[in-house]
Amino acid sequence: PSALHGIGFRLAAYPLVLLSAAMQSMKTALKDLQAEKSPQEIMPFEEVRHLVGFDEYYDAEKTYGSSRR
């Protein structure tokens, strides 16, 4: 990135970097599961809930959800 800045670029996009990193992590996790081991490098569930938006969903459900019968 600093080399690109030196020749006048202010922004560089790396569209496959995140996809590649995610795919590598998935392959590693699948290999662990295949070997009947728990994957070691996983995100805590609380963070997954936050990033996916579970809390907002639950709040909306409280506001707009139907009553339980």
Side-chain angles (χ1 to χ4, degrees):
S2 60
L4 293 174
H5 187 273
I7 58 173
F9 288 92
R10 292 183 357 176
L11 175 69
Y14 300 95
L16 296 179
V17 171
L18 292 178
L19 180 61
S20 176
M23 290 171 65
Q24 184 62 48
S25 294
M26 286 186 246
K27 282 179 58 177
T28 300
L30 287 169
K31 284 181 184 178
D32 285 346
L33 291 171
Q34 186 178 35
E36 298 186 11
K37 298 189 303 185
S38 293
Q40 297 301 306
E41 300 209 15
I42 61 172
M43 184 178 289
F45 185 64
E46 287 297 319
E47 190 172 352
V48 171
R49 284 181 39 165
H50 173 72
L51 291 172
V52 171
F54 282 18
D55 296 331
E56 290 85 3
Y57 173 80
Y58 293 144
D59 289 343
E61 183 180 44
K62 288 176 193 172
T63 302
Y64 302 108
S66 63
S67 62
R68 306 277 181 208
R69 292 183 187 172

PDB file of all heavy atoms in Angstrom, residues 43-55:
ATOM      1  N   MET A  43     -14.656 -17.410  16.405  1.00  0.00           N
ATOM      2  CA  MET A  43     -15.123 -16.184  17.037  1.00  0.00           C
ATOM      3  C   MET A  43     -16.065 -16.559  18.183  1.00  0.00           C
ATOM      4  O   MET A  43     -16.899 -17.452  18.034  1.00  0.00           O
ATOM      5  CB  MET A  43     -15.876 -15.356  15.986  1.00  0.00           C
ATOM      6  CG  MET A  43     -16.346 -14.013  16.464  1.00  0.00           C
ATOM      7  SD  MET A  43     -17.181 -13.087  15.152  1.00  0.00           S
ATOM      8  CE  MET A  43     -15.800 -12.692  14.093  1.00  0.00           C
ATOM      9  N   PRO A  44     -15.961 -15.869  19.307  1.00  0.00           N
ATOM     10  CA  PRO A  44     -16.894 -16.140  20.408  1.00  0.00           C
ATOM     11  C   PRO A  44     -18.342 -15.915  19.952  1.00  0.00           C
ATOM     12  O   PRO A  44     -18.628 -15.009  19.171  1.00  0.00           O
ATOM     13  CB  PRO A  44     -16.502 -15.114  21.472  1.00  0.00           C
ATOM     14  CG  PRO A  44     -15.102 -14.722  21.143  1.00  0.00           C
ATOM     15  CD  PRO A  44     -14.989 -14.835  19.652  1.00  0.00           C
ATOM     16  N   PHE A  45     -19.243 -16.763  20.444  1.00  0.00           N
ATOM     17  CA  PHE A  45     -20.633 -16.696  20.000  1.00  0.00           C
ATOM     18  C   PHE A  45     -21.255 -15.336  20.265  1.00  0.00           C
ATOM     19  O   PHE A  45     -22.061 -14.852  19.471  1.00  0.00           O
ATOM     20  CB  PHE A  45     -21.464 -17.806  20.648  1.00  0.00           C
ATOM     21  CG  PHE A  45     -22.858 -17.855  20.124  1.00  0.00           C
ATOM     22  CD1 PHE A  45     -23.106 -18.163  18.789  1.00  0.00           C
ATOM     23  CD2 PHE A  45     -23.937 -17.571  20.943  1.00  0.00           C
ATOM     24  CE1 PHE A  45     -24.397 -18.198  18.286  1.00  0.00           C
ATOM     25  CE2 PHE A  45     -25.229 -17.607  20.449  1.00  0.00           C
ATOM     26  CZ  PHE A  45     -25.464 -17.919  19.129  1.00  0.00           C
ATOM     27  N   GLU A  46     -20.887 -14.698  21.369  1.00  0.00           N
ATOM     28  CA  GLU A  46     -21.432 -13.363  21.663  1.00  0.00           C
ATOM     29  C   GLU A  46     -21.087 -12.376  20.544  1.00  0.00           C
ATOM     30  O   GLU A  46     -21.917 -11.554  20.164  1.00  0.00           O
ATOM     31  CB  GLU A  46     -20.894 -12.840  23.001  1.00  0.00           C
ATOM     32  CG  GLU A  46     -21.496 -13.521  24.209  1.00  0.00           C
ATOM     33  CD  GLU A  46     -22.990 -13.288  24.314  1.00  0.00           C
ATOM     34  OE1 GLU A  46     -23.461 -12.154  24.056  1.00  0.00           O
ATOM     35  OE2 GLU A  46     -23.707 -14.250  24.659  1.00  0.00           O
ATOM     36  N   GLU A  47     -19.880 -12.469  20.016  1.00  0.00           N
ATOM     37  CA  GLU A  47     -19.481 -11.570  18.932  1.00  0.00           C
ATOM     38  C   GLU A  47     -20.220 -11.919  17.639  1.00  0.00           C
ATOM     39  O   GLU A  47     -20.631 -11.030  16.892  1.00  0.00           O
ATOM     40  CB  GLU A  47     -17.972 -11.629  18.713  1.00  0.00           C
ATOM     41  CG  GLU A  47     -17.468 -10.557  17.783  1.00  0.00           C
ATOM     42  CD  GLU A  47     -15.953 -10.477  17.717  1.00  0.00           C
ATOM     43  OE1 GLU A  47     -15.268 -11.154  18.513  1.00  0.00           O
ATOM     44  OE2 GLU A  47     -15.464  -9.727  16.863  1.00  0.00           O
ATOM     45  N   VAL A  48     -20.413 -13.207  17.385  1.00  0.00           N
ATOM     46  CA  VAL A  48     -21.186 -13.637  16.214  1.00  0.00           C
ATOM     47  C   VAL A  48     -22.595 -13.062  16.307  1.00  0.00           C
ATOM     48  O   VAL A  48     -23.107 -12.483  15.342  1.00  0.00           O
ATOM     49  CB  VAL A  48     -21.237 -15.180  16.101  1.00  0.00           C
ATOM     50  CG1 VAL A  48     -22.211 -15.613  15.011  1.00  0.00           C
ATOM     51  CG2 VAL A  48     -19.857 -15.749  15.847  1.00  0.00           C
ATOM     52  N   ARG A  49     -23.211 -13.205  17.472  1.00  0.00           N
ATOM     53  CA  ARG A  49     -24.567 -12.661  17.673  1.00  0.00           C
ATOM     54  C   ARG A  49     -24.617 -11.179  17.378  1.00  0.00           C
ATOM     55  O   ARG A  49     -25.536 -10.704  16.716  1.00  0.00           O
ATOM     56  CB  ARG A  49     -25.033 -12.894  19.112  1.00  0.00           C
ATOM     57  CG  ARG A  49     -25.455 -14.306  19.408  1.00  0.00           C
ATOM     58  CD  ARG A  49     -25.910 -14.448  20.815  1.00  0.00           C
ATOM     59  NE  ARG A  49     -26.687 -13.276  21.229  1.00  0.00           N
ATOM     60  CZ  ARG A  49     -27.441 -13.226  22.299  1.00  0.00           C
ATOM     61  NH1 ARG A  49     -27.526 -14.255  23.094  1.00  0.00           N
ATOM     62  NH2 ARG A  49     -28.106 -12.140  22.600  1.00  0.00           N
ATOM     63  N   HIS A  50     -23.619 -10.449  17.868  1.00  0.00           N
ATOM     64  CA  HIS A  50     -23.581  -9.002  17.661  1.00  0.00           C
ATOM     65  C   HIS A  50     -23.422  -8.664  16.179  1.00  0.00           C
ATOM     66  O   HIS A  50     -24.155  -7.827  15.644  1.00  0.00           O
ATOM     67  CB  HIS A  50     -22.450  -8.393  18.480  1.00  0.00           C
ATOM     68  CG  HIS A  50     -22.228  -6.947  18.214  1.00  0.00           C
ATOM     69  ND1 HIS A  50     -23.108  -5.969  18.651  1.00  0.00           N
ATOM     70  CD2 HIS A  50     -21.264  -6.308  17.528  1.00  0.00           C
ATOM     71  CE1 HIS A  50     -22.675  -4.803  18.256  1.00  0.00           C
ATOM     72  NE2 HIS A  50     -21.552  -4.965  17.567  1.00  0.00           N
ATOM     73  N   LEU A  51     -22.477  -9.311  15.515  1.00  0.00           N
ATOM     74  CA  LEU A  51     -22.204  -8.993  14.112  1.00  0.00           C
ATOM     75  C   LEU A  51     -23.344  -9.391  13.178  1.00  0.00           C
ATOM     76  O   LEU A  51     -23.620  -8.705  12.196  1.00  0.00           O
ATOM     77  CB  LEU A  51     -20.901  -9.660  13.665  1.00  0.00           C
ATOM     78  CG  LEU A  51     -19.639  -9.085  14.292  1.00  0.00           C
ATOM     79  CD1 LEU A  51     -18.430  -9.943  13.938  1.00  0.00           C
ATOM     80  CD2 LEU A  51     -19.416  -7.659  13.837  1.00  0.00           C
ATOM     81  N   VAL A  52     -24.013 -10.487  13.504  1.00  0.00           N
ATOM     82  CA  VAL A  52     -25.126 -10.943  12.678  1.00  0.00           C
ATOM     83  C   VAL A  52     -26.371 -10.099  12.923  1.00  0.00           C
ATOM     84  O   VAL A  52     -27.217  -9.962  12.044  1.00  0.00           O
ATOM     85  CB  VAL A  52     -25.399 -12.451  12.933  1.00  0.00           C
ATOM     86  CG1 VAL A  52     -26.682 -12.913  12.268  1.00  0.00           C
ATOM     87  CG2 VAL A  52     -24.226 -13.281  12.451  1.00  0.00           C
ATOM     88  N   GLY A  53     -26.462  -9.493  14.103  1.00  0.00           N
ATOM     89  CA  GLY A  53     -27.604  -8.627  14.398  1.00  0.00           C
ATOM     90  C   GLY A  53     -28.699  -9.302  15.204  1.00  0.00           C
ATOM     91  O   GLY A  53     -29.850  -8.876  15.166  1.00  0.00           O
ATOM     92  N   PHE A  54     -28.348 -10.356  15.952  1.00  0.00           N
ATOM     93  CA  PHE A  54     -29.356 -11.060  16.741  1.00  0.00           C
ATOM     94  C   PHE A  54     -30.063 -10.130  17.711  1.00  0.00           C
ATOM     95  O   PHE A  54     -31.276 -10.198  17.876  1.00  0.00           O
ATOM     96  CB  PHE A  54     -28.716 -12.196  17.547  1.00  0.00           C
ATOM     97  CG  PHE A  54     -28.410 -13.444  16.768  1.00  0.00           C
ATOM     98  CD1 PHE A  54     -28.338 -13.449  15.386  1.00  0.00           C
ATOM     99  CD2 PHE A  54     -28.171 -14.634  17.433  1.00  0.00           C
ATOM    100  CE1 PHE A  54     -28.037 -14.603  14.686  1.00  0.00           C
ATOM    101  CE2 PHE A  54     -27.874 -15.799  16.734  1.00  0.00           C
ATOM    102  CZ  PHE A  54     -27.811 -15.781  15.368  1.00  0.00           C
ATOM    103  N   ASP A  55     -29.297  -9.272  18.398  1.00  0.00           N
ATOM    104  CA  ASP A  55     -29.905  -8.413  19.419  1.00  0.00           C
ATOM    105  C   ASP A  55     -30.953  -7.482  18.815  1.00  0.00           C
ATOM    106  O   ASP A  55     -32.026  -7.297  19.393  1.00  0.00           O
ATOM    107  CB  ASP A  55     -28.832  -7.625  20.155  1.00  0.00           C
ATOM    108  CG  ASP A  55     -27.893  -8.542  20.934  1.00  0.00           C
ATOM    109  OD1 ASP A  55     -28.331  -9.629  21.363  1.00  0.00           O
ATOM    110  OD2 ASP A  55     -26.711  -8.175  21.085  1.00  0.00           O
TER     111      ASP A  55
END
